[in-house]
Amino acid sequence: MESWLQQIFSWLPSGGVYFLLVGVISFLESLAFVGILVPGSVLIVFAGFLAAHGKGDYTLLVVASATGAMLGDLLSYWLGARFGAALLARPFARRRQDLVRRAELFFVSHGGKSVLLGRFVGFFRPFIPFVAGCASMRPLPFLLYVLVGGVLWGIAYPGLGYFFGASWHLVQVWTGRLSLLIALLVLLFILNALLWKYLLPAFFRGCAWVWSRIARLWRRLLSTTPLTSLATRYPALWGFLADRFTLRRGSGLYLTVGLAVCLLFATLLVWEITAIHLHEPIFRLDQRLYQLARGIGHPASDAFFLVVTCLGSTPVLLMLAGLALLWLILSDRDFSAFILGAGLAGGELLVFALKALIGRPRPEPFFPELHLVSASFPSAHAFSGALFYGLVIYLLLEDVRNWQARITLVLSGSFLVLLIGASRLYLGVHWLSDILGGLVLAGLWLTVLITASEMRRRYGGEFPWRRGPGPLNFPRWIKLPLLGLAALGVGWGVTAYCRGQLEKDLPRSAPVAAS
Protein backbone atom coordinates (compact mmCIF):
# COMPACT_ATOMS: atom_id res chain seq x y z
CA MET A 1 0.00 0.00 0.00
CA GLU A 2 1.30 3.47 -0.85
CA SER A 3 2.26 5.80 1.99
CA TRP A 4 -0.35 8.46 1.17
CA LEU A 5 -3.12 5.87 1.44
CA GLN A 6 -1.81 4.81 4.84
CA GLN A 7 -1.88 8.44 5.93
CA ILE A 8 -5.52 8.82 4.81
CA PHE A 9 -6.44 5.60 6.67
CA SER A 10 -4.93 7.03 9.85
CA TRP A 11 -7.10 10.17 9.54
CA LEU A 12 -10.39 8.25 9.18
CA PRO A 13 -12.31 6.49 11.95
CA SER A 14 -12.71 2.74 11.90
CA GLY A 15 -15.46 0.18 12.48
CA GLY A 16 -19.06 1.26 12.83
CA VAL A 17 -18.17 4.94 13.18
CA TYR A 18 -16.66 4.92 9.69
CA PHE A 19 -19.77 3.39 8.09
CA LEU A 20 -21.97 5.79 10.08
CA LEU A 21 -19.94 8.66 8.62
CA VAL A 22 -20.47 7.27 5.10
CA GLY A 23 -24.20 7.01 5.75
CA VAL A 24 -24.37 10.60 7.06
CA ILE A 25 -22.54 11.89 3.96
CA SER A 26 -24.92 10.00 1.69
CA PHE A 27 -27.90 11.29 3.72
CA LEU A 28 -26.82 14.93 3.56
CA GLU A 29 -26.05 14.66 -0.15
CA SER A 30 -29.66 13.52 -0.75
CA LEU A 31 -31.32 16.11 1.48
CA ALA A 32 -33.22 18.97 -0.16
CA PHE A 33 -31.20 22.23 -0.46
CA VAL A 34 -28.39 20.79 1.69
CA GLY A 35 -27.31 18.29 -0.98
CA ILE A 36 -26.03 20.93 -3.42
CA LEU A 37 -23.48 22.03 -0.79
CA VAL A 38 -22.19 18.53 0.04
CA PRO A 39 -19.98 16.71 -2.53
CA GLY A 40 -21.42 13.39 -1.35
CA SER A 41 -21.15 11.51 -4.66
CA VAL A 42 -17.44 12.26 -4.95
CA LEU A 43 -16.82 11.20 -1.35
CA ILE A 44 -18.79 7.96 -1.77
CA VAL A 45 -16.83 7.09 -4.92
CA PHE A 46 -13.63 7.79 -2.98
CA ALA A 47 -14.85 5.56 -0.14
CA GLY A 48 -15.25 2.76 -2.71
CA PHE A 49 -11.68 3.40 -3.85
CA LEU A 50 -10.48 3.12 -0.24
CA ALA A 51 -12.47 -0.11 0.20
CA ALA A 52 -10.52 -1.64 -2.69
CA HIS A 53 -7.38 -0.99 -0.66
CA GLY A 54 -8.72 -2.49 2.55
CA LYS A 55 -10.55 0.39 4.26
CA GLY A 56 -13.81 -1.24 5.42
CA ASP A 57 -15.93 -3.99 3.97
CA TYR A 58 -17.40 -3.21 0.54
CA THR A 59 -20.77 -4.81 1.34
CA LEU A 60 -21.20 -2.70 4.47
CA LEU A 61 -20.16 0.35 2.46
CA VAL A 62 -22.95 -0.33 -0.05
CA VAL A 63 -25.49 -0.80 2.77
CA ALA A 64 -24.43 2.44 4.50
CA SER A 65 -24.50 4.44 1.23
CA ALA A 66 -27.88 3.10 0.12
CA THR A 67 -29.46 3.55 3.56
CA GLY A 68 -28.28 7.15 3.87
CA ALA A 69 -29.52 7.94 0.34
CA MET A 70 -32.97 6.51 1.00
CA LEU A 71 -33.36 8.26 4.35
CA GLY A 72 -32.37 11.56 2.74
CA ASP A 73 -34.97 11.09 -0.01
CA LEU A 74 -37.68 10.20 2.48
CA LEU A 75 -36.97 13.24 4.66
CA SER A 76 -36.92 15.51 1.58
CA TYR A 77 -40.29 14.08 0.51
CA TRP A 78 -41.75 14.70 3.98
CA LEU A 79 -40.39 18.26 4.07
CA GLY A 80 -41.94 18.95 0.66
CA ALA A 81 -45.30 17.49 1.61
CA ARG A 82 -45.45 19.14 5.04
CA PHE A 83 -43.61 22.46 4.64
CA GLY A 84 -43.10 22.85 0.87
CA ALA A 85 -44.71 26.26 0.37
CA ALA A 86 -43.17 27.72 3.53
CA LEU A 87 -39.67 26.46 2.68
CA LEU A 88 -39.85 27.75 -0.90
CA ALA A 89 -40.61 31.22 0.49
CA ARG A 90 -37.42 31.24 2.56
CA PRO A 91 -34.38 33.24 1.31
CA PHE A 92 -32.16 30.17 0.85
CA ALA A 93 -34.81 28.63 -1.44
CA ARG A 94 -35.42 31.81 -3.43
CA ARG A 95 -31.71 31.95 -4.26
CA ARG A 96 -32.08 28.51 -5.86
CA GLN A 97 -35.35 29.06 -7.65
CA ASP A 98 -33.81 28.10 -10.99
CA LEU A 99 -32.79 24.66 -9.74
CA VAL A 100 -36.17 24.08 -8.10
CA ARG A 101 -37.99 25.14 -11.27
CA ARG A 102 -35.88 22.82 -13.43
CA ALA A 103 -36.54 19.97 -10.98
CA GLU A 104 -40.27 20.67 -11.22
CA LEU A 105 -40.14 20.52 -15.04
CA PHE A 106 -38.15 17.28 -14.83
CA PHE A 107 -40.76 15.84 -12.48
CA VAL A 108 -43.62 16.90 -14.74
CA SER A 109 -41.89 15.43 -17.79
CA HIS A 110 -41.10 12.03 -16.26
CA GLY A 111 -43.73 11.63 -13.57
CA GLY A 112 -42.97 9.12 -10.82
CA LYS A 113 -39.98 7.77 -12.77
CA SER A 114 -38.22 11.08 -12.10
CA VAL A 115 -37.63 9.93 -8.49
CA LEU A 116 -35.57 7.03 -9.85
CA LEU A 117 -33.95 8.95 -12.72
CA GLY A 118 -33.25 12.05 -10.62
CA ARG A 119 -31.14 9.99 -8.24
CA PHE A 120 -28.51 9.86 -11.00
CA VAL A 121 -28.89 13.41 -12.40
CA GLY A 122 -26.47 15.78 -10.71
CA PHE A 123 -28.03 18.78 -8.98
CA PHE A 124 -31.57 17.39 -9.38
CA ARG A 125 -30.79 14.64 -6.84
CA PRO A 126 -31.68 16.56 -3.65
CA PHE A 127 -34.65 18.39 -5.22
CA ILE A 128 -36.74 15.73 -6.96
CA PRO A 129 -38.00 14.04 -3.73
CA PHE A 130 -38.82 17.48 -2.31
CA VAL A 131 -40.76 18.40 -5.47
CA ALA A 132 -42.54 15.03 -5.34
CA GLY A 133 -43.68 15.84 -1.80
CA CYS A 134 -44.86 19.30 -2.84
CA ALA A 135 -46.81 17.70 -5.70
CA SER A 136 -48.48 15.23 -3.27
CA MET A 137 -47.14 12.16 -5.05
CA ARG A 138 -48.63 8.98 -3.56
CA PRO A 139 -46.37 7.58 -0.81
CA LEU A 140 -46.29 3.94 -1.97
CA PRO A 141 -45.03 4.52 -5.53
CA PHE A 142 -42.58 7.07 -4.18
CA LEU A 143 -41.29 4.56 -1.61
CA LEU A 144 -40.79 1.90 -4.30
CA TYR A 145 -38.87 4.28 -6.56
CA VAL A 146 -36.75 5.43 -3.63
CA LEU A 147 -35.96 1.86 -2.65
CA VAL A 148 -34.89 0.86 -6.16
CA GLY A 149 -32.96 4.07 -6.79
CA GLY A 150 -31.24 4.02 -3.41
CA VAL A 151 -30.05 0.42 -3.83
CA LEU A 152 -28.80 1.03 -7.38
CA TRP A 153 -27.05 4.25 -6.36
CA GLY A 154 -25.56 2.56 -3.29
CA ILE A 155 -24.09 -0.15 -5.51
CA ALA A 156 -23.02 2.01 -8.47
CA TYR A 157 -21.16 4.87 -6.81
CA PRO A 158 -19.05 2.89 -4.31
CA GLY A 159 -18.63 0.27 -7.06
CA LEU A 160 -17.18 2.85 -9.42
CA GLY A 161 -14.53 3.80 -6.87
CA TYR A 162 -13.93 0.15 -5.98
CA PHE A 163 -13.35 -0.80 -9.61
CA PHE A 164 -10.94 2.07 -10.12
CA GLY A 165 -9.10 1.22 -6.91
CA ALA A 166 -8.79 -2.44 -7.89
CA SER A 167 -7.33 -1.47 -11.28
CA TRP A 168 -5.07 1.26 -9.85
CA HIS A 169 -1.86 -0.69 -10.30
CA LEU A 170 -2.89 -1.76 -13.82
CA VAL A 171 -3.33 1.90 -14.72
CA GLN A 172 0.18 2.60 -13.42
CA VAL A 173 1.61 -0.27 -15.48
CA TRP A 174 -0.16 0.84 -18.69
CA THR A 175 0.51 4.57 -18.58
CA GLY A 176 3.05 5.08 -15.81
CA ARG A 177 1.92 7.90 -13.56
CA LEU A 178 1.05 10.32 -16.33
CA SER A 179 -2.61 9.42 -15.91
CA LEU A 180 -2.33 10.12 -12.19
CA LEU A 181 -0.80 13.51 -12.95
CA ILE A 182 -3.59 14.35 -15.40
CA ALA A 183 -6.17 13.30 -12.82
CA LEU A 184 -4.52 15.57 -10.23
CA LEU A 185 -4.56 18.50 -12.65
CA VAL A 186 -8.23 17.92 -13.42
CA LEU A 187 -8.94 17.79 -9.68
CA LEU A 188 -7.01 21.03 -9.20
CA PHE A 189 -9.07 22.69 -11.94
CA ILE A 190 -12.36 21.47 -10.43
CA LEU A 191 -11.44 22.66 -6.94
CA ASN A 192 -10.38 26.03 -8.32
CA ALA A 193 -13.68 26.35 -10.21
CA LEU A 194 -15.69 25.41 -7.12
CA LEU A 195 -13.80 28.01 -5.10
CA TRP A 196 -14.50 30.91 -7.45
CA LYS A 197 -17.99 29.94 -8.63
CA TYR A 198 -19.57 28.72 -5.39
CA LEU A 199 -17.51 29.00 -2.20
CA LEU A 200 -16.31 32.60 -2.48
CA PRO A 201 -19.72 33.98 -3.60
CA ALA A 202 -21.30 32.12 -0.69
CA PHE A 203 -18.66 33.58 1.63
CA PHE A 204 -19.30 37.12 0.37
CA ARG A 205 -23.05 36.66 0.72
CA GLY A 206 -22.45 35.55 4.29
CA CYS A 207 -20.25 38.58 4.91
CA ALA A 208 -22.93 40.88 3.46
CA TRP A 209 -25.54 39.28 5.73
CA VAL A 210 -23.30 39.71 8.79
CA TRP A 211 -22.52 43.30 7.80
CA SER A 212 -26.21 44.17 7.47
CA ARG A 213 -26.86 42.77 10.96
CA ILE A 214 -23.90 44.66 12.40
CA ALA A 215 -25.05 47.90 10.72
CA ARG A 216 -28.55 47.45 12.10
CA LEU A 217 -27.18 46.84 15.61
CA TRP A 218 -24.81 49.79 15.30
CA ARG A 219 -27.67 52.15 14.38
CA ARG A 220 -29.50 51.03 17.50
CA LEU A 221 -26.42 51.55 19.66
CA LEU A 222 -25.89 55.06 18.28
CA SER A 223 -29.11 56.19 19.93
CA THR A 224 -28.10 54.85 23.36
CA THR A 225 -26.99 57.21 26.11
CA PRO A 226 -23.39 55.92 26.58
CA LEU A 227 -22.45 56.37 22.91
CA THR A 228 -24.20 59.72 22.68
CA SER A 229 -22.26 60.99 25.68
CA LEU A 230 -19.01 59.53 24.28
CA ALA A 231 -19.50 61.39 20.99
CA THR A 232 -20.22 64.62 22.89
CA ARG A 233 -17.32 64.26 25.31
CA TYR A 234 -14.64 63.11 22.83
CA PRO A 235 -15.62 64.53 19.41
CA ALA A 236 -12.14 64.13 17.85
CA LEU A 237 -11.87 60.45 18.82
CA TRP A 238 -15.45 59.79 17.77
CA GLY A 239 -14.90 61.48 14.40
CA PHE A 240 -11.75 59.42 13.78
CA LEU A 241 -13.56 56.15 14.51
CA ALA A 242 -16.55 57.14 12.40
CA ASP A 243 -14.30 58.05 9.45
CA ARG A 244 -12.87 54.51 9.43
CA PHE A 245 -16.25 53.15 8.32
CA THR A 246 -17.53 55.86 6.02
CA LEU A 247 -17.88 55.50 2.26
CA ARG A 248 -17.41 59.22 1.70
CA ARG A 249 -13.62 59.12 2.07
CA GLY A 250 -10.95 56.91 0.51
CA SER A 251 -9.39 56.44 3.93
CA GLY A 252 -12.70 55.13 5.25
CA LEU A 253 -14.26 51.72 4.81
CA TYR A 254 -12.13 50.63 1.82
CA LEU A 255 -8.93 51.23 3.75
CA THR A 256 -10.34 49.53 6.86
CA VAL A 257 -11.34 46.42 4.90
CA GLY A 258 -7.98 46.40 3.10
CA LEU A 259 -6.10 46.53 6.38
CA ALA A 260 -8.24 43.72 7.81
CA VAL A 261 -7.51 41.48 4.80
CA CYS A 262 -3.80 42.34 4.99
CA LEU A 263 -3.83 41.36 8.65
CA LEU A 264 -5.41 38.03 7.74
CA PHE A 265 -2.76 37.23 5.11
CA ALA A 266 0.03 38.41 7.44
CA THR A 267 -1.27 36.11 10.18
CA LEU A 268 -1.31 33.16 7.76
CA LEU A 269 2.24 33.95 6.66
CA VAL A 270 3.57 34.17 10.23
CA TRP A 271 1.78 30.93 11.13
CA GLU A 272 3.33 29.12 8.17
CA ILE A 273 6.85 30.36 8.96
CA THR A 274 6.42 29.27 12.58
CA ALA A 275 5.04 25.88 11.54
CA ILE A 276 8.00 25.27 9.23
CA HIS A 277 10.57 26.07 11.90
CA LEU A 278 8.77 23.96 14.52
CA HIS A 279 8.48 21.00 12.11
CA GLU A 280 4.72 20.87 12.52
CA PRO A 281 2.45 18.75 10.22
CA ILE A 282 2.96 21.07 7.23
CA PHE A 283 6.68 20.22 7.33
CA ARG A 284 5.93 16.50 7.27
CA LEU A 285 3.45 17.05 4.44
CA ASP A 286 6.26 18.74 2.49
CA GLN A 287 8.36 15.60 2.80
CA ARG A 288 5.56 13.24 1.71
CA LEU A 289 4.54 15.30 -1.33
CA TYR A 290 8.18 15.66 -2.36
CA GLN A 291 8.57 11.87 -2.36
CA LEU A 292 5.29 11.48 -4.27
CA ALA A 293 6.35 14.03 -6.91
CA ARG A 294 9.67 12.25 -7.38
CA GLY A 295 7.94 9.31 -9.06
CA ILE A 296 5.65 11.17 -11.49
CA GLY A 297 8.22 11.89 -14.18
CA HIS A 298 7.18 11.52 -17.84
CA PRO A 299 8.60 13.19 -21.00
CA ALA A 300 5.25 14.82 -21.84
CA SER A 301 4.71 16.19 -18.33
CA ASP A 302 8.37 17.28 -18.13
CA ALA A 303 7.91 19.47 -21.21
CA PHE A 304 4.53 20.77 -20.02
CA PHE A 305 5.71 21.85 -16.57
CA LEU A 306 8.95 23.37 -17.89
CA VAL A 307 6.85 25.62 -20.15
CA VAL A 308 4.46 26.43 -17.29
CA THR A 309 7.29 27.32 -14.93
CA CYS A 310 8.70 29.64 -17.61
CA LEU A 311 5.44 31.63 -17.46
CA GLY A 312 6.35 32.56 -13.87
CA SER A 313 10.02 33.34 -14.59
CA THR A 314 11.45 36.85 -14.52
CA PRO A 315 12.25 37.21 -18.28
CA VAL A 316 8.73 36.20 -19.35
CA LEU A 317 7.03 38.35 -16.70
CA LEU A 318 9.14 41.36 -17.73
CA MET A 319 8.04 40.98 -21.36
CA LEU A 320 4.39 40.56 -20.40
CA ALA A 321 4.61 43.46 -17.93
CA GLY A 322 6.00 45.72 -20.67
CA LEU A 323 3.01 44.86 -22.87
CA ALA A 324 0.59 45.48 -19.99
CA LEU A 325 2.18 48.85 -19.20
CA LEU A 326 1.94 49.93 -22.84
CA TRP A 327 -1.77 48.97 -22.87
CA LEU A 328 -2.45 50.95 -19.68
CA ILE A 329 -0.57 54.04 -20.84
CA LEU A 330 -2.27 54.02 -24.24
CA SER A 331 -5.60 53.72 -22.40
CA ASP A 332 -4.69 56.80 -20.30
CA ARG A 333 -4.70 54.71 -17.10
CA ASP A 334 -1.45 56.10 -15.76
CA PHE A 335 -2.19 55.43 -12.09
CA SER A 336 -2.94 51.78 -12.90
CA ALA A 337 0.35 51.65 -14.81
CA PHE A 338 2.11 53.08 -11.76
CA ILE A 339 0.43 50.47 -9.51
CA LEU A 340 1.52 47.67 -11.85
CA GLY A 341 5.12 48.85 -12.25
CA ALA A 342 5.73 49.85 -8.64
CA GLY A 343 3.84 46.79 -7.38
CA LEU A 344 5.97 44.34 -9.37
CA ALA A 345 9.22 46.06 -8.43
CA GLY A 346 8.30 46.32 -4.76
CA GLY A 347 7.08 42.72 -4.76
CA GLU A 348 10.40 41.41 -6.07
CA LEU A 349 12.27 43.28 -3.33
CA LEU A 350 9.82 41.96 -0.73
CA VAL A 351 10.10 38.30 -1.73
CA PHE A 352 13.89 38.27 -1.94
CA ALA A 353 14.20 40.09 1.38
CA LEU A 354 12.02 37.41 2.96
CA LYS A 355 14.09 34.67 1.29
CA ALA A 356 17.26 36.15 2.81
CA LEU A 357 15.60 36.51 6.21
CA ILE A 358 14.22 32.96 6.39
CA GLY A 359 17.14 31.27 4.62
CA ARG A 360 15.40 27.92 4.19
CA PRO A 361 17.41 25.35 2.18
CA ARG A 362 15.86 23.93 -0.97
CA PRO A 363 15.09 20.28 -1.63
CA GLU A 364 17.26 18.26 -4.00
CA PRO A 365 15.89 19.04 -7.50
CA PHE A 366 14.69 16.22 -9.73
CA PHE A 367 16.50 17.82 -12.68
CA PRO A 368 20.12 17.26 -11.55
CA GLU A 369 21.61 20.28 -13.36
CA LEU A 370 19.16 22.90 -12.10
CA HIS A 371 20.95 25.94 -10.71
CA LEU A 372 19.28 27.21 -7.52
CA VAL A 373 20.28 30.81 -6.97
CA SER A 374 18.29 31.75 -3.86
CA ALA A 375 16.75 30.35 -0.70
CA SER A 376 13.63 28.20 -0.81
CA PHE A 377 10.96 30.08 1.18
CA PRO A 378 8.87 31.63 -0.27
CA SER A 379 8.68 30.53 -3.91
CA ALA A 380 9.46 33.53 -6.11
CA HIS A 381 7.78 31.91 -9.12
CA ALA A 382 4.54 31.34 -7.19
CA PHE A 383 4.69 34.86 -5.74
CA SER A 384 5.52 36.66 -9.00
CA GLY A 385 3.00 34.65 -11.01
CA ALA A 386 0.18 35.28 -8.54
CA LEU A 387 1.11 38.97 -8.24
CA PHE A 388 1.42 39.75 -11.96
CA TYR A 389 -1.49 37.69 -13.28
CA GLY A 390 -3.64 38.74 -10.32
CA LEU A 391 -3.00 42.42 -11.04
CA VAL A 392 -3.63 42.00 -14.77
CA ILE A 393 -6.93 40.21 -14.11
CA TYR A 394 -7.96 42.95 -11.68
CA LEU A 395 -7.15 45.66 -14.26
CA LEU A 396 -8.96 43.78 -17.03
CA LEU A 397 -12.13 43.37 -14.97
CA GLU A 398 -12.83 47.08 -15.36
CA ASP A 399 -13.18 46.59 -19.14
CA VAL A 400 -15.13 43.32 -18.96
CA ARG A 401 -18.82 43.91 -18.26
CA ASN A 402 -20.26 40.44 -18.86
CA TRP A 403 -20.44 38.49 -15.59
CA GLN A 404 -19.80 35.12 -17.24
CA ALA A 405 -16.73 36.53 -19.01
CA ARG A 406 -15.45 37.84 -15.68
CA ILE A 407 -15.83 34.42 -14.08
CA THR A 408 -14.00 32.80 -17.01
CA LEU A 409 -11.19 35.34 -16.75
CA VAL A 410 -10.74 34.78 -13.02
CA LEU A 411 -10.90 30.99 -13.38
CA SER A 412 -8.32 30.95 -16.18
CA GLY A 413 -5.90 33.29 -14.44
CA SER A 414 -6.12 31.60 -11.04
CA PHE A 415 -5.69 28.14 -12.59
CA LEU A 416 -2.56 29.34 -14.41
CA VAL A 417 -1.17 30.60 -11.08
CA LEU A 418 -1.90 27.23 -9.46
CA LEU A 419 -0.17 25.46 -12.36
CA ILE A 420 2.93 27.63 -11.92
CA GLY A 421 3.04 26.68 -8.25
CA ALA A 422 2.51 23.00 -9.09
CA SER A 423 5.36 23.14 -11.64
CA ARG A 424 7.81 24.14 -8.89
CA LEU A 425 6.72 21.13 -6.86
CA TYR A 426 6.94 18.86 -9.93
CA LEU A 427 10.51 20.01 -10.72
CA GLY A 428 11.56 19.37 -7.13
CA VAL A 429 12.91 22.90 -6.59
CA HIS A 430 10.45 23.88 -3.84
CA TRP A 431 8.53 22.39 -0.95
CA LEU A 432 4.75 22.71 -0.91
CA SER A 433 4.97 25.18 1.99
CA ASP A 434 7.27 27.40 -0.12
CA ILE A 435 4.60 27.60 -2.80
CA LEU A 436 1.84 28.29 -0.27
CA GLY A 437 4.03 30.95 1.33
CA GLY A 438 4.55 32.62 -2.05
CA LEU A 439 0.80 32.63 -2.72
CA VAL A 440 -0.02 34.03 0.74
CA LEU A 441 2.63 36.75 0.40
CA ALA A 442 1.24 37.59 -3.05
CA GLY A 443 -2.24 37.82 -1.54
CA LEU A 444 -0.92 40.24 1.09
CA TRP A 445 0.84 42.48 -1.44
CA LEU A 446 -2.05 42.28 -3.92
CA THR A 447 -4.43 43.46 -1.20
CA VAL A 448 -2.22 46.51 -0.57
CA LEU A 449 -2.05 47.38 -4.27
CA ILE A 450 -5.74 46.79 -5.00
CA THR A 451 -6.76 48.80 -1.95
CA ALA A 452 -4.62 51.72 -3.13
CA SER A 453 -6.06 51.42 -6.65
CA GLU A 454 -9.66 51.27 -5.42
CA MET A 455 -9.15 54.31 -3.20
CA ARG A 456 -7.73 56.22 -6.17
CA ARG A 457 -10.48 55.07 -8.55
CA ARG A 458 -13.36 55.88 -6.20
CA TYR A 459 -11.90 58.94 -4.48
CA GLY A 460 -9.57 60.44 -7.08
CA GLY A 461 -9.56 63.85 -5.44
CA GLU A 462 -7.51 62.55 -2.53
CA PHE A 463 -4.61 61.46 -4.79
CA PRO A 464 -3.21 64.32 -6.92
CA TRP A 465 -1.95 63.13 -10.29
CA ARG A 466 -1.26 64.71 -13.65
CA ARG A 467 -4.20 66.22 -15.52
CA GLY A 468 -4.70 66.85 -19.21
CA PRO A 469 -3.85 64.68 -22.25
CA GLY A 470 -1.80 61.51 -21.80
CA PRO A 471 1.84 61.26 -22.93
CA LEU A 472 0.80 58.84 -25.74
CA ASN A 473 -2.54 60.36 -26.67
CA PHE A 474 -2.79 58.65 -30.06
CA PRO A 475 -6.04 58.11 -31.97
CA ARG A 476 -7.64 54.69 -31.79
CA TRP A 477 -6.55 53.68 -35.30
CA ILE A 478 -2.93 54.01 -34.19
CA LYS A 479 -3.32 52.51 -30.70
CA LEU A 480 -4.74 49.17 -31.82
CA PRO A 481 -2.06 48.38 -34.45
CA LEU A 482 0.62 49.51 -32.01
CA LEU A 483 -0.71 47.16 -29.33
CA GLY A 484 -1.05 44.37 -31.88
CA LEU A 485 2.58 44.72 -32.99
CA ALA A 486 3.74 44.81 -29.37
CA ALA A 487 1.68 41.69 -28.58
CA LEU A 488 3.22 39.85 -31.55
CA GLY A 489 6.71 40.83 -30.41
CA VAL A 490 6.06 39.71 -26.84
CA GLY A 491 4.50 36.47 -28.07
CA TRP A 492 7.56 35.75 -30.20
CA GLY A 493 9.89 36.57 -27.28
CA VAL A 494 8.00 34.34 -24.81
CA THR A 495 7.89 31.48 -27.33
CA ALA A 496 11.61 31.78 -28.07
CA TYR A 497 12.46 31.81 -24.37
CA CYS A 498 10.32 28.75 -23.61
CA ARG A 499 11.74 26.88 -26.61
CA GLY A 500 15.27 27.66 -25.46
CA GLN A 501 14.53 26.36 -21.98
CA LEU A 502 13.05 23.14 -23.39
CA GLU A 503 16.08 22.56 -25.60
CA LYS A 504 18.36 22.97 -22.60
CA ASP A 505 16.34 21.02 -20.06
CA LEU A 506 14.95 17.99 -21.92
CA PRO A 507 15.87 15.38 -20.95
CA ARG A 508 16.51 16.10 -17.26
CA SER A 509 20.14 17.01 -17.63
CA ALA A 510 20.72 20.68 -18.36
CA PRO A 511 20.68 23.86 -16.22
CA VAL A 512 17.95 26.45 -15.90
CA ALA A 513 17.85 29.28 -13.35
CA ALA A 514 15.42 28.72 -10.47
CA SER A 515 14.53 31.65 -8.27
Side-chain angles (χ1 to χ4, degrees):
M1 184 188 301
E2 299 194 29
S3 58
W4 64 274
L5 277 174
Q6 293 176 339
Q7 183 65 45
I8 291 176
F9 284 8
S10 67
W11 293 340
L12 295 173
S14 57
V17 178
Y18 174 70
F19 293 108
L20 178 63
L21 176 63
V22 171
V24 170
I25 292 173
S26 180
F27 169 79
L28 293 175
E29 200 262 352
S30 305
L31 193 60
F33 300 105
V34 176
I36 60 173
L37 305 176
V38 179
S41 299
V42 177
L43 296 176
I44 296 301
V45 171
F46 187 62
F49 174 84
L50 296 180
H53 291 273
K55 181 60 179 177
D57 180 74
Y58 174 70
T59 303
L60 293 177
L61 178 64
V62 170
V63 172
S65 303
T67 303
M70 289 186 286
L71 290 176
D73 285 348
L74 291 173
L75 180 57
S76 297
Y77 174 82
W78 180 79
L79 289 173
R82 184 71 176 83
F83 306 104
L87 289 175
L88 289 175
R90 304 293 295 176
F92 64 83
R94 288 200 299 270
R95 288 195 295 267
R96 294 165 178 83
Q97 281 184 354
D98 183 58
L99 282 174
V100 175
R101 193 172 296 112
R102 288 164 60 189
E104 290 173 343
L105 292 174
F106 189 82
F107 181 80
V108 170
S109 300
H110 300 281
K113 296 189 298 295
S114 62
V115 178
L116 174 60
L117 298 175
R119 158 83 15 217
F120 300 91
V121 183
F123 286 116
F124 286 170
R125 188 177 299 118
F127 288 106
I128 293 295
F130 178 82
V131 171
C134 292
S136 301
M137 181 179 176
R138 288 186 299 158
L140 183 58
F142 176 81
L143 184 60
L144 292 175
Y145 281 121
V146 165
L147 181 63
V148 175
V151 170
L152 291 177
W153 187 86
I155 294 173
Y157 277 73
L160 181 63
Y162 190 89
F163 173 78
F164 180 73
S167 60
W168 177 262
H169 296 292
L170 291 176
V171 172
Q172 290 184 353
V173 171
W174 290 340
T175 63
R177 296 201 177 183
L178 181 60
S179 58
L180 172 61
L181 183 61
I182 293 173
L184 291 175
L185 291 179
V186 171
L187 178 62
L188 185 65
F189 177 80
I190 292 173
L191 292 177
N192 181 60
L194 289 175
L195 172 68
W196 290 105
K197 293 192 72 172
Y198 299 107
L199 297 183
L200 277 185
F203 172 76
F204 288 133
R205 286 195 298 269
C207 290
W209 181 85
V210 171
W211 177 256
S212 65
R213 296 302 185 275
I214 292 175
R216 185 181 304 171
L217 178 62
W218 178 246
R219 286 192 294 268
R220 292 176 183 173
L221 290 174
L222 286 177
S223 60
T224 60
T225 304
L227 287 183
T228 304
S229 60
L230 178 66
T232 305
R233 189 171 182 180
Y234 304 101
L237 175 62
W238 182 259
F240 174 80
L241 293 176
D243 285 344
R244 302 290 66 76
F245 297 94
T246 183
L247 288 172
R248 293 190 299 270
R249 296 175 56 86
S251 57
L253 183 62
Y254 283 97
L255 182 59
T256 302
V257 172
L259 290 175
V261 177
C262 285
L263 180 61
L264 173 62
F265 279 118
T267 303
L268 288 174
L269 188 63
V270 171
W271 170 82
E272 189 176 3
I273 294 172
T274 304
I276 290 171
H277 283 285
L278 296 180
H279 289 194
E280 289 188 358
I282 192 172
F283 181 85
R284 296 191 290 273
L285 181 61
D286 283 342
Q287 304 290 332
R288 293 191 179 94
L289 288 180
Y290 175 77
Q291 294 301 326
L292 178 63
R294 182 186 289 276
I296 308 184
H298 188 279
S301 57
D302 289 351
F304 173 75
F305 279 113
L306 278 170
V307 171
V308 169
T309 208
C310 287
L311 297 179
S313 62
T314 300
V316 169
L317 290 182
L318 284 176
M319 288 186 279
L320 294 175
L323 177 62
L325 287 172
L326 177 62
W327 161 60
L328 291 170
I329 293 173
L330 288 176
S331 303
D332 202 22
R333 297 172 63 179
D334 50 355
F335 188 80
S336 296
F338 171 77
I339 287 289
L340 180 63
L344 293 178
E348 289 299 312
L349 293 175
L350 181 64
V351 73
F352 282 105
L354 194 58
K355 278 177 176 283
L357 180 64
I358 304 299
R360 187 187 192 189
R362 288 180 182 259
E364 185 69 23
F366 303 144
F367 284 52
E369 299 297 327
L370 283 171
H371 290 319
L372 309 177
V373 297
S374 62
S376 186
F377 184 92
S379 167
H381 275 69
F383 171 83
S384 300
L387 177 62
F388 173 73
Y389 295 112
L391 274 176
V392 169
I393 289 171
Y394 163 73
L395 295 172
L396 283 172
L397 288 177
E398 185 173 337
D399 297 325
V400 178
R401 301 301 179 187
N402 182 272
W403 182 251
Q404 190 63 38
R406 287 187 167 195
I407 289 292
T408 303
L409 181 64
V410 172
L411 283 178
S412 304
S414 58
F415 186 60
L416 175 60
V417 170
L418 292 176
L419 283 180
I420 292 173
S423 72
R424 310 307 287 168
L425 187 63
Y426 177 88
L427 298 175
V429 295
H430 278 296
W431 307 105
L432 174 66
S433 54
D434 300 336
I435 298 163
L436 295 178
L439 295 177
V440 171
L441 183 63
L444 172 62
W445 190 232
L446 265 174
T447 303
V448 173
L449 298 175
I450 290 175
T451 300
S453 181
E454 284 295 303
M455 290 165 61
R456 159 66 184 177
R457 188 164 68 92
R458 296 176 183 274
Y459 308 96
E462 299 182 25
F463 292 88
W465 203 251
R466 67 162 181 84
R467 300 185 181 278
L472 299 177
N473 192 25
F474 299 136
R476 184 180 178 84
W477 64 271
I478 293 181
K479 289 181 180 181
L480 292 180
L482 188 61
L483 273 177
L485 289 175
L488 287 175
V490 169
W492 178 85
V494 171
T495 302
Y497 178 81
C498 293
R499 183 182 297 131
Q501 295 300 97
L502 286 176
E503 290 174 355
K504 289 194 302 179
D505 301 325
L506 289 177
R508 299 187 176 196
S509 60
V512 60
S515 60

